[in-house]
Amino acid sequence: MVIYSNLSDQELAGLLRSQSDQRAFSELYTRYKGVLHGHAYKKLGNLEEARDLIQELFSALWNKRDALPDTHNLSGYLYTTLRNRILDFVAHRQVEHKYLKSLQHFITEANFITDRQVRERELTRLIEDAVNELPPKMREVFLMSRNTGKSHKEIAEELNISESTVKNHVKAALKVLRTKLGLFAYILFLLK
């Protein structure tokens, strides 16, 4: 009867590779799981993540047992394999972190833009409604002064009215809008 705990790493690896010996695998697992787990924990700082990596390492070792290299330094092979898994895991975690950060920024920015767009549309609608409620001549003069960039004198000449009438219409329209829209909307309208 073979006492597996007395066998060398190289002999256990040979039995695992050539005969798929489960007891050889169990002995290797027992020998190395603790030290590999400690090493992984030191690198990752998380017991669960370290435990998962060790489990994945030994699962891969079993699944690829027939391709296990014939090495004189099995512990070095296991440490190197673990190191590579840790590096892959950390790189993947960094990519996830960047992605989540980017996604959060996108969501925040999209909500901000959408909220601002909704408020702008609502304000625009309120302003248009208030302007449409102005008396026809006052509305015409006011819209010409705001939308065409013409001076009061040019508007007066075009509409065949006095320049003071144009000024009065604009002044009265602004007063009505200020009252209907409130100071905040009025200031936003003027800045538009």
Side-chain angles (χ1 to χ4, degrees), residues 3-20:
I3 300 174
Y4 286 88
S5 59
N6 292 338
L7 297 177
S8 70
D9 289 349
Q10 192 173 7
E11 290 171 317
L12 291 170
L15 288 171
L16 178 62
R17 184 177 43 254
S18 64
Q19 298 175 20
S20 295

PDB file of all heavy atoms in Angstrom, residues 3-20:
ATOM      1  N   ILE A   3       1.818   5.004   0.713  1.00  0.00           N
ATOM      2  CA  ILE A   3       1.532   6.081   1.669  1.00  0.00           C
ATOM      3  C   ILE A   3       1.854   7.382   0.936  1.00  0.00           C
ATOM      4  O   ILE A   3       3.031   7.733   0.736  1.00  0.00           O
ATOM      5  CB  ILE A   3       2.364   5.925   2.961  1.00  0.00           C
ATOM      6  CG1 ILE A   3       2.032   4.595   3.620  1.00  0.00           C
ATOM      7  CG2 ILE A   3       2.107   7.091   3.900  1.00  0.00           C
ATOM      8  CD1 ILE A   3       2.883   4.259   4.816  1.00  0.00           C
ATOM      9  N   TYR A   4       0.822   8.084   0.521  1.00  0.00           N
ATOM     10  CA  TYR A   4       0.971   9.264  -0.345  1.00  0.00           C
ATOM     11  C   TYR A   4       1.701  10.410   0.345  1.00  0.00           C
ATOM     12  O   TYR A   4       2.415  11.163  -0.304  1.00  0.00           O
ATOM     13  CB  TYR A   4      -0.402   9.716  -0.853  1.00  0.00           C
ATOM     14  CG  TYR A   4      -0.941   8.794  -1.915  1.00  0.00           C
ATOM     15  CD1 TYR A   4      -1.686   7.670  -1.581  1.00  0.00           C
ATOM     16  CD2 TYR A   4      -0.698   9.027  -3.253  1.00  0.00           C
ATOM     17  CE1 TYR A   4      -2.167   6.803  -2.541  1.00  0.00           C
ATOM     18  CE2 TYR A   4      -1.173   8.171  -4.231  1.00  0.00           C
ATOM     19  CZ  TYR A   4      -1.915   7.061  -3.871  1.00  0.00           C
ATOM     20  OH  TYR A   4      -2.376   6.209  -4.844  1.00  0.00           O
ATOM     21  N   SER A   5       1.550  10.506   1.644  1.00  0.00           N
ATOM     22  CA  SER A   5       2.218  11.603   2.345  1.00  0.00           C
ATOM     23  C   SER A   5       3.741  11.433   2.342  1.00  0.00           C
ATOM     24  O   SER A   5       4.468  12.400   2.558  1.00  0.00           O
ATOM     25  CB  SER A   5       1.706  11.714   3.781  1.00  0.00           C
ATOM     26  OG  SER A   5       1.943  10.508   4.488  1.00  0.00           O
ATOM     27  N   ASN A   6       4.219  10.222   2.053  1.00  0.00           N
ATOM     28  CA  ASN A   6       5.663   9.976   1.991  1.00  0.00           C
ATOM     29  C   ASN A   6       6.239  10.204   0.597  1.00  0.00           C
ATOM     30  O   ASN A   6       7.456  10.189   0.420  1.00  0.00           O
ATOM     31  CB  ASN A   6       5.983   8.541   2.432  1.00  0.00           C
ATOM     32  CG  ASN A   6       5.707   8.326   3.913  1.00  0.00           C
ATOM     33  OD1 ASN A   6       5.669   9.280   4.698  1.00  0.00           O
ATOM     34  ND2 ASN A   6       5.509   7.073   4.295  1.00  0.00           N
ATOM     35  N   LEU A   7       5.377  10.388  -0.387  1.00  0.00           N
ATOM     36  CA  LEU A   7       5.842  10.573  -1.768  1.00  0.00           C
ATOM     37  C   LEU A   7       6.288  12.018  -1.998  1.00  0.00           C
ATOM     38  O   LEU A   7       5.778  12.961  -1.389  1.00  0.00           O
ATOM     39  CB  LEU A   7       4.731  10.210  -2.756  1.00  0.00           C
ATOM     40  CG  LEU A   7       4.258   8.753  -2.753  1.00  0.00           C
ATOM     41  CD1 LEU A   7       3.102   8.577  -3.731  1.00  0.00           C
ATOM     42  CD2 LEU A   7       5.403   7.810  -3.094  1.00  0.00           C
ATOM     43  N   SER A   8       7.232  12.166  -2.925  1.00  0.00           N
ATOM     44  CA  SER A   8       7.699  13.517  -3.277  1.00  0.00           C
ATOM     45  C   SER A   8       6.674  14.195  -4.190  1.00  0.00           C
ATOM     46  O   SER A   8       5.812  13.542  -4.785  1.00  0.00           O
ATOM     47  CB  SER A   8       9.048  13.432  -3.995  1.00  0.00           C
ATOM     48  OG  SER A   8       8.869  12.856  -5.289  1.00  0.00           O
ATOM     49  N   ASP A   9       6.824  15.500  -4.316  1.00  0.00           N
ATOM     50  CA  ASP A   9       5.944  16.254  -5.227  1.00  0.00           C
ATOM     51  C   ASP A   9       6.034  15.699  -6.643  1.00  0.00           C
ATOM     52  O   ASP A   9       5.025  15.565  -7.329  1.00  0.00           O
ATOM     53  CB  ASP A   9       6.333  17.735  -5.248  1.00  0.00           C
ATOM     54  CG  ASP A   9       5.985  18.461  -3.966  1.00  0.00           C
ATOM     55  OD1 ASP A   9       5.259  17.884  -3.120  1.00  0.00           O
ATOM     56  OD2 ASP A   9       6.419  19.615  -3.808  1.00  0.00           O
ATOM     57  N   GLN A  10       7.258  15.383  -7.063  1.00  0.00           N
ATOM     58  CA  GLN A  10       7.469  14.888  -8.420  1.00  0.00           C
ATOM     59  C   GLN A  10       6.769  13.539  -8.619  1.00  0.00           C
ATOM     60  O   GLN A  10       6.159  13.294  -9.662  1.00  0.00           O
ATOM     61  CB  GLN A  10       8.965  14.771  -8.695  1.00  0.00           C
ATOM     62  CG  GLN A  10       9.297  14.556 -10.140  1.00  0.00           C
ATOM     63  CD  GLN A  10      10.803  14.616 -10.395  1.00  0.00           C
ATOM     64  OE1 GLN A  10      11.600  14.685  -9.479  1.00  0.00           O
ATOM     65  NE2 GLN A  10      11.168  14.578 -11.669  1.00  0.00           N
ATOM     66  N   GLU A  11       6.828  12.665  -7.612  1.00  0.00           N
ATOM     67  CA  GLU A  11       6.160  11.362  -7.715  1.00  0.00           C
ATOM     68  C   GLU A  11       4.639  11.533  -7.740  1.00  0.00           C
ATOM     69  O   GLU A  11       3.944  10.879  -8.520  1.00  0.00           O
ATOM     70  CB  GLU A  11       6.559  10.472  -6.523  1.00  0.00           C
ATOM     71  CG  GLU A  11       8.000  10.016  -6.566  1.00  0.00           C
ATOM     72  CD  GLU A  11       8.441   9.328  -5.277  1.00  0.00           C
ATOM     73  OE1 GLU A  11       8.092   9.828  -4.185  1.00  0.00           O
ATOM     74  OE2 GLU A  11       9.123   8.289  -5.386  1.00  0.00           O
ATOM     75  N   LEU A  12       4.123  12.440  -6.906  1.00  0.00           N
ATOM     76  CA  LEU A  12       2.674  12.701  -6.891  1.00  0.00           C
ATOM     77  C   LEU A  12       2.211  13.266  -8.231  1.00  0.00           C
ATOM     78  O   LEU A  12       1.177  12.858  -8.764  1.00  0.00           O
ATOM     79  CB  LEU A  12       2.310  13.658  -5.748  1.00  0.00           C
ATOM     80  CG  LEU A  12       2.457  13.100  -4.336  1.00  0.00           C
ATOM     81  CD1 LEU A  12       2.313  14.212  -3.300  1.00  0.00           C
ATOM     82  CD2 LEU A  12       1.436  11.994  -4.084  1.00  0.00           C
ATOM     83  N   ALA A  13       2.978  14.201  -8.766  1.00  0.00           N
ATOM     84  CA  ALA A  13       2.630  14.786 -10.068  1.00  0.00           C
ATOM     85  C   ALA A  13       2.655  13.720 -11.156  1.00  0.00           C
ATOM     86  O   ALA A  13       1.803  13.714 -12.046  1.00  0.00           O
ATOM     87  CB  ALA A  13       3.587  15.925 -10.408  1.00  0.00           C
ATOM     88  N   GLY A  14       3.612  12.817 -11.070  1.00  0.00           N
ATOM     89  CA  GLY A  14       3.689  11.731 -12.051  1.00  0.00           C
ATOM     90  C   GLY A  14       2.467  10.822 -11.971  1.00  0.00           C
ATOM     91  O   GLY A  14       1.912  10.425 -12.998  1.00  0.00           O
ATOM     92  N   LEU A  15       2.050  10.478 -10.758  1.00  0.00           N
ATOM     93  CA  LEU A  15       0.855   9.644 -10.588  1.00  0.00           C
ATOM     94  C   LEU A  15      -0.408  10.371 -11.083  1.00  0.00           C
ATOM     95  O   LEU A  15      -1.281   9.769 -11.705  1.00  0.00           O
ATOM     96  CB  LEU A  15       0.677   9.252  -9.117  1.00  0.00           C
ATOM     97  CG  LEU A  15       1.649   8.226  -8.556  1.00  0.00           C
ATOM     98  CD1 LEU A  15       1.497   8.109  -7.037  1.00  0.00           C
ATOM     99  CD2 LEU A  15       1.412   6.866  -9.220  1.00  0.00           C
ATOM    100  N   LEU A  16      -0.459  11.631 -10.797  1.00  0.00           N
ATOM    101  CA  LEU A  16      -1.611  12.434 -11.235  1.00  0.00           C
ATOM    102  C   LEU A  16      -1.661  12.489 -12.758  1.00  0.00           C
ATOM    103  O   LEU A  16      -2.714  12.282 -13.366  1.00  0.00           O
ATOM    104  CB  LEU A  16      -1.518  13.848 -10.634  1.00  0.00           C
ATOM    105  CG  LEU A  16      -2.609  14.837 -11.008  1.00  0.00           C
ATOM    106  CD1 LEU A  16      -3.972  14.346 -10.521  1.00  0.00           C
ATOM    107  CD2 LEU A  16      -2.308  16.208 -10.400  1.00  0.00           C
ATOM    108  N   ARG A  17      -0.512  12.748 -13.361  1.00  0.00           N
ATOM    109  CA  ARG A  17      -0.429  12.900 -14.817  1.00  0.00           C
ATOM    110  C   ARG A  17      -0.676  11.571 -15.537  1.00  0.00           C
ATOM    111  O   ARG A  17      -1.470  11.513 -16.468  1.00  0.00           O
ATOM    112  CB  ARG A  17       0.948  13.480 -15.184  1.00  0.00           C
ATOM    113  CG  ARG A  17       1.135  13.770 -16.638  1.00  0.00           C
ATOM    114  CD  ARG A  17       2.498  14.413 -16.977  1.00  0.00           C
ATOM    115  NE  ARG A  17       3.613  13.804 -16.283  1.00  0.00           N
ATOM    116  CZ  ARG A  17       4.270  14.363 -15.251  1.00  0.00           C
ATOM    117  NH1 ARG A  17       3.919  15.552 -14.818  1.00  0.00           N
ATOM    118  NH2 ARG A  17       5.270  13.741 -14.669  1.00  0.00           N
ATOM    119  N   SER A  18      -0.059  10.526 -15.096  1.00  0.00           N
ATOM    120  CA  SER A  18      -0.116   9.262 -15.851  1.00  0.00           C
ATOM    121  C   SER A  18      -1.307   8.383 -15.486  1.00  0.00           C
ATOM    122  O   SER A  18      -1.809   7.648 -16.332  1.00  0.00           O
ATOM    123  CB  SER A  18       1.182   8.476 -15.650  1.00  0.00           C
ATOM    124  OG  SER A  18       1.322   8.089 -14.288  1.00  0.00           O
ATOM    125  N   GLN A  19      -1.770   8.455 -14.230  1.00  0.00           N
ATOM    126  CA  GLN A  19      -2.815   7.530 -13.809  1.00  0.00           C
ATOM    127  C   GLN A  19      -4.091   8.227 -13.319  1.00  0.00           C
ATOM    128  O   GLN A  19      -5.003   7.558 -12.835  1.00  0.00           O
ATOM    129  CB  GLN A  19      -2.270   6.626 -12.685  1.00  0.00           C
ATOM    130  CG  GLN A  19      -1.111   5.783 -13.120  1.00  0.00           C
ATOM    131  CD  GLN A  19      -0.531   4.985 -11.945  1.00  0.00           C
ATOM    132  OE1 GLN A  19      -1.187   4.777 -10.938  1.00  0.00           O
ATOM    133  NE2 GLN A  19       0.702   4.525 -12.108  1.00  0.00           N
ATOM    134  N   SER A  20      -4.121   9.545 -13.411  1.00  0.00           N
ATOM    135  CA  SER A  20      -5.265  10.321 -12.892  1.00  0.00           C
ATOM    136  C   SER A  20      -5.587   9.894 -11.455  1.00  0.00           C
ATOM    137  O   SER A  20      -6.741   9.735 -11.078  1.00  0.00           O
ATOM    138  CB  SER A  20      -6.496  10.153 -13.776  1.00  0.00           C
ATOM    139  OG  SER A  20      -6.271  10.695 -15.054  1.00  0.00           O
TER     140      SER A  20
END
